[in-house]
Amino acid sequence: MPAIPVSLYGGHTWENWEWDVNSKSPAAQLSPCRQAVYFHTNVLLESEGAAGVRGTKGFAHGEHYWEIEFSEPPYGTSVMVGLGTKKALLHTGDFQFINLLGMDGESWGLSYKGSLWHGGKSRKYTEPFYDKMTIIGVLLNLHAGTLRFYKNGISLGLAFSGLDKVGVPLYPLVSSTAPETEVLLGLRTSRLASLRERCLHTIASSLDPCTPLNAIPLPTTLRDQLKTNFMYNQHCCECS
């Protein structure tokens, strides 16, 4: 196992989100614990395009880190790690073998070939990673608005900035065009910078996200802070 990045030593706590069984391509299958995802497992169909899956937890504040482990060497047109909004595409089909994460402005991705993608454009970032059991770490800092990737515990440097301006929660994503790709969800941690943020986070986590804020008996100032800092009640898919 690689060493935990030094940046996680100061106040990070464990998280337990998983892959979302309701937010994935039909070509992606999840393990019973929803921490492993298997892409294009139908031996008759093989792969018909790009397939993705989203994590169950979106991030709008604080610092968050998670790791993706490749059980087998990645191969094919595209295998990617990254994040995106709820609008990020999770399936193409029709034999569209594309770099799914970063194909538009709704997601940001790192290809195993070493390139970064966002807004349909790519740029060189690091050397390709072809090894079995490679672990890619993702560090999202929404205070600074930055996204960094790690390979086996070693920082690869700044990948993206300006993510604090997106204005909606960002969710972990993985995608693949290659048959029988298997990736595992590993370490997941988060850090909130201040006591105020930790208190707001605790309150937001205890509330039903589809209950209108005005219906909750809280001071107006506190309701405004929940709405502004945690996007609470703005993106409830069941209520939209």
Side-chain angles (χ1 to χ4, degrees):
M1 289 291 290
I4 295 176
V6 173
S7 61
L8 303 188
Y9 291 157
H12 270 249
T13 57
W14 302 105
E15 291 203 308
N16 60 0
W17 55 267
E18 55 200 21
W19 297 122
D20 192 341
V21 68
N22 297 313
S23 301
K24 66 179 186 65
S25 163
Q29 305 301 318
L30 304 184
S31 64
C33 65
R34 296 185 290 279
Q35 294 186 30
V37 56
Y38 313 96
F39 292 103
H40 311 290
T41 57
N42 189 319
V43 294
L44 299 178
L45 294 177
E46 293 190 343
S47 175
E48 295 184 320
V53 63
R54 187 169 68 214
T56 54
K57 187 170 184 178
F59 307 122
H61 213 59
E63 186 177 70
H64 307 273
Y65 178 82
W66 62 96
E67 291 181 340
I68 304 297
E69 181 177 313
F70 291 86
S71 301
E72 300 294 336
Y75 73 100
T77 301
S78 177
V79 181
M80 305 188 76
V81 176
L83 51 77
T85 72
K86 271 195 173 182
K87 295 182 179 179
L89 191 64
L90 298 177
H91 182 76
T92 58
D94 297 326
F95 300 97
Q96 297 182 61
F97 300 100
I98 64 172
N99 289 288
L100 189 62
L101 307 188
M103 65 167 291
D104 56 21
E106 300 295 336
S107 57
W108 296 255
L110 168 64
S111 165
Y112 82 98
K113 296 180 180 179
S115 58
L116 295 171
W117 284 82
H118 176 64
K121 298 179 180 180
S122 68
R123 57 184 171 89
K124 179 71 174 178
Y125 176 61
T126 187
E127 294 301 314
F129 45 95
Y130 300 114
D131 296 335
K132 179 179 180 179
M133 306 307 290
T134 294
I135 296 177
I136 299 297
V138 186
L139 180 62
L140 173 65
N141 186 332
L142 286 168
H143 302 299
T146 58
L147 180 65
R148 299 174 184 271
F149 292 99
Y150 291 74
K151 179 183 176 184
N152 297 331
I154 306 300
S155 175
L156 299 176
L158 179 66
F160 297 103
S161 60
L163 295 174
D164 54 325
K165 305 297 194 299
V166 175
V168 295
L170 296 171
Y171 295 79
L173 300 171
V174 292
S175 70
S176 177
T177 62
E180 300 185 9
T181 303
E182 179 181 347
V183 295
L184 304 176
L185 184 58
L187 178 69
R188 287 146 284 166
T189 71
S190 67
R191 174 172 60 190
L192 298 173
S194 67
L195 177 60
R196 170 183 164 276
E197 289 172 358
R198 292 195 291 271
C199 291
L200 286 171
H201 176 74
T202 300
I203 294 171
S205 300
S206 67
L207 299 175
D208 182 345
C210 286
T211 300
L213 268 176
N214 291 337
I216 300 173
L218 293 172
T220 300
T221 302
L222 187 53
R223 288 201 299 264
D224 290 343
Q225 290 177 348
L226 287 170
K227 186 175 182 179
T228 300
N229 295 309
F230 288 87
M231 283 82 171
Y232 179 84
N233 214 204
Q234 296 183 34
H235 308 282
C236 176
C237 59
E238 291 83 4
C239 298
S240 58

